[in-house]
Amino acid sequence: MTDAFDPRLLVQAWPRPAKPRPIVTFGAGSIVGDAHFPAYRKAGFPVAGLYDPDEAKAQTLAEKWGVTAFRSVDEAAAVKDAIFDLATPPGRHAEVLKALPDGAVALIQKPMGNYLGEATEILDICRAKKLRAAVNFQLRFAPMMLALKDAIAKGWLGEVVDFDAWLALATPWQLWEFLLKAPRVEIAMHSIHYLDLIRQLLGDPKGVHAKTLGHPNHTVAQTRTSAILDYGDRVRCALSINHDHKFGRRHQACEFRICGTEGAAYVKLGLNLDYPRGEPDVLEIYPKGGSDWVRVPLTGEWFPDAFVGRMANVQRFASGEDNELVSSVEDAWNTMALVEAAYRSSAAPATPLAEKP
């Protein structure tokens, strides 16, 4: 560690592959047009084409981006030396993975199935077919999060002992039609990003106390969550998530506070505050030995830059340039286990109050 904290020295981007492979995408939903394809074009990653069972939707998106609209899963899976990019609903991942050639490289949209049982099935398929597969937990690759991880690794916070996630915002769930009737929404589709990031920074917790619920003003299954992750007697980790704070921007928030024994960090996840347009992300560090907060000049945003880094790691792992496949299915299964534990905790009775004598 240098004598003085220089925020410009924090790593914010993943190295690009020398010779990227063609990408074949399964799915033509909003996440593909809003994040995947913009990221791949920005990075210069070649997209061979896409497949979606809705032929009209697939053709429209393919024409917009100048790629091929494949006529079947088998046709898409036949592209040689491709990176297979599954932007499919969680319940469809398994059938697509089964159609891929043995030994293929795949990036699977989160979550890794709707339930832990589906995640286990996906893990079994990947093991049996020797697929080199990762799950698209791309928040790990956002510039602000790469910089945060680097600051922690370089000792600028000391030992991390506190992690707070606080969200009070209005999320437009109607943008994702398949979620409107889904039995699991908030933790499985949203806070899973935060749980996965926390696992990367703090490791696996001993357990979780959680309550997740909906809201009387709509029928989305869950949009509010409170959770405490148990890391023993040294680390406190809490999440307060409210997607129904629809009272104007003034008191809305989407932020993390990470405190160490010798420094601290503040993160604002701007995308969520006006999704999908968003606001700028923010990272500030109070470094070890410092006397004030230092703003880190960010070189990109969560969308689309995190998708660039996520795919870059998959590409580089496929070519042997990276030794680690970040968020491999083996590791991602543990995030799914944490999600499952949170839902089990939410469904279990709370500790009752003592009866008055």
Side-chain angles (χ1 to χ4, degrees), residues 167-182:
L167 277 71
L169 41 73
T171 296
W173 298 104
Q174 69 278 5
L175 294 179
W176 305 278
E177 186 176 351
F178 75 99
L179 290 181
L180 299 182
K181 295 183 179 179

Side-chain angles (χ1 to χ4, degrees), residues 2-63:
T2 58
D3 294 335
F5 176 68
D6 186 345
R8 297 168 298 177
L9 298 180
L10 297 177
V11 173
Q12 295 191 37
W14 204 267
R16 304 289 175 85
K19 295 181 179 179
R21 297 188 183 191
I23 298 168
V24 173
T25 297
F26 293 89
S30 62
I31 193 67
V32 177
D34 293 342
H36 289 234
F37 283 1
Y40 303 158
R41 177 168 290 180
K42 180 176 182 178
F45 299 155
V47 176
L50 63 90
Y51 168 75
D52 193 285
D54 186 331
E55 294 182 9
K57 185 165 66 172
Q59 191 63 44
T60 297
L61 190 62
E63 289 176 358

Side-chain angles (χ1 to χ4, degrees), residues 207-243:
V208 59
H209 308 279
K211 184 66 178 180
T212 188
L213 65 162
H215 192 280
N217 286 349
H218 57 70
T219 59
V220 179
Q222 306 96 28
T223 53
R224 297 176 292 162
T225 299
S226 296
I228 299 173
L229 276 59
D230 183 359
Y231 282 98
D233 296 332
R234 196 167 180 86
V235 177
R236 184 187 68 89
C237 180
L239 298 87
S240 177
I241 316 291
N242 178 10
H243 293 273

Side-chain angles (χ1 to χ4, degrees), residues 63-356:
E63 289 176 358
K64 178 180 178 180
W65 289 92
V67 302
T68 299
F70 297 112
R71 293 166 294 181
S72 68
V73 170
D74 290 340
E75 183 183 9
V79 177
K80 293 186 179 299
D81 296 323
I83 304 293
F84 295 105
D85 181 30
L86 277 65
T88 42
R92 302 294 298 276
H93 296 337
E95 63 184 273
V96 175
L97 292 169
K98 290 176 182 177
L100 300 183
D102 290 356
V105 182
L107 178 60
I108 305 166
Q109 183 59 273
K110 61 84 189 162
M112 188 178 163
N114 289 301
Y115 301 90
L116 187 60
E118 291 183 0
T120 301
E121 179 188 9
I122 288 168
L123 182 61
D124 289 342
I125 292 169
C126 292
R127 286 173 171 174
K129 293 177 66 66
K130 294 181 171 54
L131 301 179
R132 291 171 287 171
V135 176
N136 202 344
F137 288 127
Q138 21 69 20
L139 181 58
R140 294 189 182 202
F141 293 87
M144 57 186 166
M145 298 310 178
L146 289 174
L148 170 65
K149 185 172 181 290
D150 194 35
I152 293 172
K154 289 175 177 174
W156 289 113
L157 274 64
E159 177 191 355
V160 175
V161 292
D162 271 286
F163 190 108
D164 278 302
W166 181 36
L167 277 71
L169 41 73
T171 296
W173 298 104
Q174 69 278 5
L175 294 179
W176 305 278
E177 186 176 351
F178 75 99
L179 290 181
L180 299 182
K181 295 183 179 179
R184 289 184 169 187
V185 178
E186 203 291 309
I187 299 175
M189 301 303 299
H190 188 92
S191 287
I192 188 172
H193 280 301
Y194 313 144
L195 297 176
D196 180 72
L197 181 76
I198 290 167
R199 282 191 57 248
Q200 184 188 39
L201 297 179
L202 300 179
D204 289 316
K206 297 179 179 179
V208 59
H209 308 279
K211 184 66 178 180
T212 188
L213 65 162
H215 192 280
N217 286 349
H218 57 70
T219 59
V220 179
Q222 306 96 28
T223 53
R224 297 176 292 162
T225 299
S226 296
I228 299 173
L229 276 59
D230 183 359
Y231 282 98
D233 296 332
R234 196 167 180 86
V235 177
R236 184 187 68 89
C237 180
L239 298 87
S240 177
I241 316 291
N242 178 10
H243 293 273
D244 294 287
H245 197 278
K246 301 178 180 181
F247 309 103
R249 175 64 185 88
R250 182 175 177 182
H251 293 300
Q252 290 181 342
C254 187
E255 55 195 30
F256 297 165
R257 288 176 173 83
I258 303 96
C259 299
T261 53
E262 298 178 274
Y266 168 87
V267 181
K268 171 186 160 185
L269 293 78
L271 174 69
N272 290 336
L273 289 166
D274 186 19
Y275 189 90
R277 183 172 59 183
E279 300 178 5
D281 295 327
V282 173
L283 172 62
E284 296 183 3
I285 304 284
Y286 195 108
K288 175 182 178 179
S291 59
D292 203 351
W293 290 92
V294 178
R295 184 80 168 251
V296 177
L298 296 174
T299 59
E301 302 287 344
W302 182 0
F303 280 37
D305 297 281
F307 291 81
V308 172
R310 171 67 279 186
M311 178 56 74
N313 170 243
V314 174
Q315 292 270 3
R316 288 172 56 87
F317 183 79
S319 66
E321 295 170 275
D322 279 358
N323 294 324
E324 178 190 3
L325 181 60
V326 178
S327 296
S328 71
V329 289
E330 297 288 343
D331 178 65
W333 188 93
N334 294 326
T335 294
M336 295 299 297
L338 178 53
V339 167
E340 192 72 24
Y343 278 108
R344 290 203 311 271
S345 175
S346 183
T351 303
L353 279 64
E355 295 184 8
K356 183 182 292 185

